[in-house]
Amino acid sequence: MSAVHSAVTRRLDDGGSAARDPLTVARARALRMGIDIGGSKIEVVLVEHGRVIALDRLPTGYGARQVLANTAALASTLAANVGLDLADIGAVGVGIPGAIESGTGRVRHAVNLGIDDLALGSELSALLGVPVRIENDVNAAGLGAFHALGLARNASIAYLNLGTGLAAGLVLQGTLWRGSRGTAGEIGHMPVVQDGPLCACGQRGCLELYTSGSGLARMWPAAPGQALAELHKAVAAGDRAAIDVHRTWIEGIASAVRALVLTLDVDSVIIGGGLSTHHPSLLDEVRGVLTEWSARSSFLKMLDLPSRVVLPPTGLPVAALGAALLGEPR
Ligand SMILES: [Zn+2]
């Protein structure tokens, strides 16, 4: 486990006394804890007045029982390290991949975590002794990125997550938008190539097959997690096939941006997720494709797509931050 909490421990002890001190308890009520359960690590943050003041991490583990136990252990450890009783904290929120049953906090089909069905909200709440809100991880990241960028309260964004899959978190006029069945923003499963390869969803030619981490690995097979690095090497060496695959990948991202703006007319599309952080020139390349398309269409040119694509602030755990802010009144 990392040890980034020592400075924060001091900061929280500034009040000068133990966690049960009334002043400290009052301060704890204003704190929010956010937890991001990812494929490889769980990240936990403490947020005070919208600012991350403590952070810790732990490997996720695999399967419902292990993920639950590790999440509870990490939350308890962080609270103990800063001298807080978890029961005093104002709010705890969790972002996790999978289909979330809104209201109950039940998680289904979190395939990468080995979770088929887990009553995460109630079970984690029982372990921590505090109510817990559960949200889809991409939605949580969208909320966190919205906040981290310091946008106007009534701004609208789409957070395009380039992870193993491809999906967008939508914050419309400052409020997370889940849709009527919780599937808003699942643009990875829009078919874009008729009779294309079979997708895990049962359709053919889905955008995710060309634009996500798994799509990249499909188009440019390499050791796990190495597809983008290997592709870059081949592009740098002038490999024609690699250049074509790279172009397909960037065009897929640009298509997603265009679809999100045409559907929702959001102020910005924020490109996040694991793939974006390992590709420094991504923003310029996506903007380049959008600029090419705009040169051929006065309609697209009017939409000013290149200037509406942005990256989230670097170094901020946006998904954990967003999880901490779940349910916060606007
Ligand atoms: Zn699909």
Side-chain angles (χ1 to χ4, degrees):
M1 199 181 293
S2 66
V4 294
H5 39 65
S6 53
V8 176
T9 305
R10 278 199 303 278
R11 182 182 147 78
L12 286 173
D13 284 345
D14 281 347
S17 50
R20 303 312 300 177
D21 180 291
L23 184 69
T24 311
V25 170
R27 190 171 174 198
R29 288 261 175 263
L31 290 178
R32 309 179 76 95
M33 178 178 277
I35 305 171
D36 173 33
I37 303 179
S40 58
K41 66 177 187 299
I42 307 170
E43 221 162 26
V44 59
V45 295
L46 268 183
V47 174
E48 184 175 38
H49 305 308
R51 265 185 0 104
V52 174
I53 60 164
L55 180 149
D56 212 339
R57 300 186 177 95
L58 191 68
T60 307
Y62 190 81
R65 292 301 113 197
Q66 211 177 76
V67 171
L68 179 66
N70 288 353
T71 303
L74 181 62
S76 303
T77 302
L78 183 69
N81 282 339
V82 299
L84 281 169
D85 188 330
L86 259 175
D88 293 335
I89 287 181
V92 176
V94 179
I96 184 168
I100 313 300
E101 197 176 271
S102 202
T104 68
R106 204 172 189 95
V107 181
R108 291 198 173 90
H109 311 303
V111 183
N112 293 337
L113 306 178
I115 296 175
D116 180 45
D117 185 357
L118 171 65
L120 180 61
S122 55
E123 292 211 31
L124 187 60
S125 179
L127 288 172
L128 300 181
V130 59
V132 177
R133 287 189 173 89
I134 310 292
E135 185 54 75
N136 172 269
D137 61 338
V138 177
N139 286 348
L143 200 59
F146 181 96
H147 181 86
L149 286 170
L151 301 173
R153 270 170 187 268
N154 64 347
S156 297
I157 60 104
Y159 178 88
L160 182 63
N161 192 65
L162 302 179
T164 306
L166 177 76
L170 308 173
V171 182
L172 305 181
Q173 298 188 320
T175 303
L176 193 57
W177 177 257
R178 299 179 183 85
S180 66
R181 300 186 184 195
T183 51
E186 291 289 349
I187 60 166
H189 297 291
M190 293 194 315
V192 290
V193 177
Q194 209 175 5
D195 300 325
L198 188 64
C199 179
C201 76
Q203 304 183 98
R204 287 188 175 276
C206 289
L207 185 57
E208 181 167 297
L209 295 169
Y210 307 93
T211 306
S212 63
S214 59
L216 204 58
R218 182 188 68 80
M219 294 190 294
W220 201 258
Q226 294 305 307
L228 187 54
E230 292 294 324
L231 181 64
H232 279 155
K233 264 190 239 165
V235 168
D239 183 321
R240 195 62 239 172
I243 292 168
D244 287 346
V245 164
H246 188 266
R247 173 77 189 186
T248 299
W249 181 54
I250 296 293
E251 282 184 348
I253 300 169
S255 296
V257 170
R258 179 177 56 187
L260 288 164
V261 171
L262 288 175
T263 313
L264 298 160
D265 198 13
V266 285
D267 300 298
S268 321
V269 178
I270 303 164
I271 300 181
L275 283 184
S276 69
T277 51
H278 293 106
H279 190 51
S281 55
L282 179 75
L283 184 63
D284 286 343
E285 289 167 1
V286 172
R287 283 176 170 165
V289 168
L290 293 169
T291 302
E292 279 176 39
W293 291 350
S294 301
R296 300 197 292 264
S297 161
S298 56
F299 171 64
L300 279 193
K301 194 172 172 59
M302 183 187 74
L303 299 180
D304 199 10
L305 293 172
S307 74
R308 289 160 88 161
V309 189
V310 296
L311 296 177
T314 48
L316 255 187
V318 288
L321 172 63
L325 299 175
L326 287 171
E328 187 182 58
R330 281 211 283 152

